[in-house]
Amino acid sequence: VVAVFAGKANCPYYAKAELLADYLQANLPHFRVHKITQHPEQWLHDICETNGWKHSRSPIIWRELLDRGGKGLLLGGVNDFLEYAQHYYGVTSAMLSDEMLAIAEENLQAHIEIEKEEEEIKSLVKPLHIWITRASAPICYQLIPLLASGEVFGMTTEISIHLLDADQFKEVLRGIVMEAEDMAFPLLRSISEHTEIDKAFIQADVVIVLDDVLLNCEVQPLEYYVREVSEICQVYAPLIEKNAKSEVRVISSGKSFVNLKAMMIMTYGPSIKPENVIAVATSWENATKAMLARKLNMNAAGVKDVIVWGNITGCNYIDLSHAKLYGYDSAIWGPANFSRPLLNMIYDSEWIHSEFLPAQSSLSSQVSHCTGMLHAHAIATVLRYWYHGSPPGEIVSVGILTAGQFCVPEGIVFSMPVRFQNGSWEVMTELEMNETTQEVLDRLAHDLIQEKLVALKEIKEMLPYGADKITS
C-alpha cells in the first residue's frame, strides 16, 4: 500500500500528517509514502476532479492500491488520516501547533529551493529559436521535419520553431502547427504561428527568409521586383536587429532573389554581423550533381565539388573544373577517399557544350518550380554544416558578402566556394582560377552590382554588361 499526501507547502496540517506518515513508513514494512507539495498560490484540485472526490482543503490523502490497479481510495484530510492511523496501527500524533507551524515554514522554504533548482536545470536546456518567414510556402512544410529530426542541430538540441506570414495565411500556419505537434518530435520544444510583424524574430537564433516576390504577381519589369524585395528586407532587418539574439544567423533561401535578400538584410540591419548572413546555393549544386550522375550512370552522392558562382537564383555559372567523382565504376579503383576529376571521366566532351551548358537554363527553371523538397533539403544541409562543419576538403557554394576574393568587387553578395568549420565559414581562396572563369565572374558581379543599385534606388534601370564602357 502507498499513501499519497498532497498539500500546500506551508500548510501546518500537511506537516502534521507528513511526520506521522514518515513514522509509519519507518516502522511498518509494507507502508510506503509518496508526497506531493505545491506552492500555496498554485494549490489545485485536479486530483479531486479526475477521481470524482469532494475535498477542497489542504492536505488531501489517499491510498494507491498497487496490487489492484484503478483509482486510489480517498482517506480525506489530516483528521481522517489521524483516525485511520489510530484505528489500523494504534498510532497518533501529539504535535503542538507551534511545531506544526515551524515545520510548515521549513517545508515552504524547501519547496521554493527545489522549484528554483528545477528552473535552473530547465534554463540550461535552452531551445534554439528558429524563425521562418513566408512560412505558408511548401518549402517550409518540407523543412520542419528535417529541422525537428535532430540531424541538423544535433540529437540533444531542442528547438522552437516560429512560423511568420501575413494574416491571410493564419489558418494555413495553424494547420502546419497542429500537424507538427501531432508528429510528436522529441526535440521540438514548441511550434507557433505569428502574423504580427512587430513581434517577429523575438529571441531568434536562426532566421530563414523564404519570401518569394514573383509568386502570384502580374508580370512586371525586373527592377519592380528588386525594389519589392528591398522593401520587404527594410521591414525585416531592423526587427531582426531589435528582437533577435546578437549572434543570430540569417539564411536567405527560396526561389528568387536569394543574393539580394541577404544583401538587403545586411544593408538595413548594419548591426547584424555580415559573416552571419548567407544565401543558399545547395539546391543548384545538388540538381547539377544529379544531372551529371545520370550522364555517368552513378550515384549522385559520389559527385563532389561542383561550384555555383554569382547570382544563385539569377545569372550564375556552374563550374565543373574542380568537380571530382568518388566511387566511379572505371578501370582504375582505389579506397573510399580516392577520386577522379569529373571532366576527365566525361569522355564525350561535346556533351558539355551541346547538352550540359544549354540545360543550365532549364535546370534553373526546374529548381525554381520544384515543390519545396529540394530547397528544404538544401537549407537543412547548409545549417548542419554551419553548426557541425562540412565534410573535410569538400566544397560548398554559398552566397556571402564579398571582400575582394577571386577579384570579385567588394560589397555584394556573391556565391562562391566555402568550407564550414567550428561554427563559421571561410572562403576557399586557394582554388586556382582560369582566365575564362575570371571573365565570367566579372560579368556576374556586374549584374549583382546593378541589382544592388536599383534596390537602393541609386539607379532606376539595370544597365547591361559593358554598357557603362561605351563611349560616344
Side-chain angles (χ1 to χ4, degrees), residues 242-305:
K242 177 184 175 184
N243 296 335
K245 294 179 182 174
S246 59
E247 294 294 326
V248 62
R249 299 179 183 186
V250 181
I251 295 261
S252 174
S253 187
K255 302 177 182 181
S256 62
F257 295 108
V258 296
N259 292 57
L260 183 62
K261 286 183 288 191
M263 183 73 254
M264 292 298 101
I265 291 290
M266 287 184 268
T267 301
Y268 296 120
S271 68
I272 301 171
K273 295 182 178 179
E275 63 269 24
N276 283 358
V277 182
I278 63 174
V280 176
T282 317
S283 302
W284 278 259
E285 268 188 25
N286 291 342
T288 301
K289 290 174 182 178
M291 181 190 298
L292 293 166
R294 286 192 292 269
K295 170 65 178 175
L296 294 164
N297 193 28
M298 64 176 293
N299 191 322
V303 184
K304 305 289 186 183
D305 300 346

Side-chain angles (χ1 to χ4, degrees), residues 306-333:
V306 171
I307 304 174
V308 179
W309 296 95
N311 191 348
I312 296 165
T313 49
C315 187
N316 58 47
Y317 171 58
I318 298 177
D319 183 2
L320 304 182
S321 62
H322 300 277
K324 302 181 185 68
L325 301 179
Y326 292 82
Y328 179 60
D329 188 6
S330 67
I332 301 175
W333 277 82

Side-chain angles (χ1 to χ4, degrees), residues 411-454:
I412 55 174
V413 171
F414 195 93
S415 180
M416 58 179 62
V418 306
R419 66 169 65 89
F420 288 91
Q421 56 185 7
N422 301 323
S424 61
W425 52 263
E426 63 176 355
V427 178
M428 300 177 72
T429 52
E430 70 274 15
L431 295 180
E432 294 184 4
M433 303 285 294
N434 58 47
E435 195 172 316
T436 303
T437 300
Q438 190 63 64
E439 186 178 338
V440 172
L441 299 193
D442 292 341
R443 187 175 71 251
L444 298 178
H446 167 84
D447 292 344
L448 284 167
I449 292 170
Q450 292 288 301
E451 197 173 83
K452 176 183 175 182
L453 293 175
V454 170

Side-chain angles (χ1 to χ4, degrees), residues 27-44:
N27 291 277
L28 298 174
H30 301 295
F31 190 90
R32 296 290 180 268
V33 179
H34 178 64
K35 304 172 188 177
I36 303 172
T37 60
Q38 287 186 316
H39 194 280
E41 296 176 0
Q42 299 173 335
W43 174 245
L44 303 175

Side-chain angles (χ1 to χ4, degrees), residues 50-51 53 62-73:
T50 302
N51 292 279
W53 297 334
W62 69 94
R63 293 172 62 200
E64 294 283 357
L65 306 178
L66 299 181
D67 58 336
R68 300 182 189 177
K71 70 176 185 179
L73 176 64

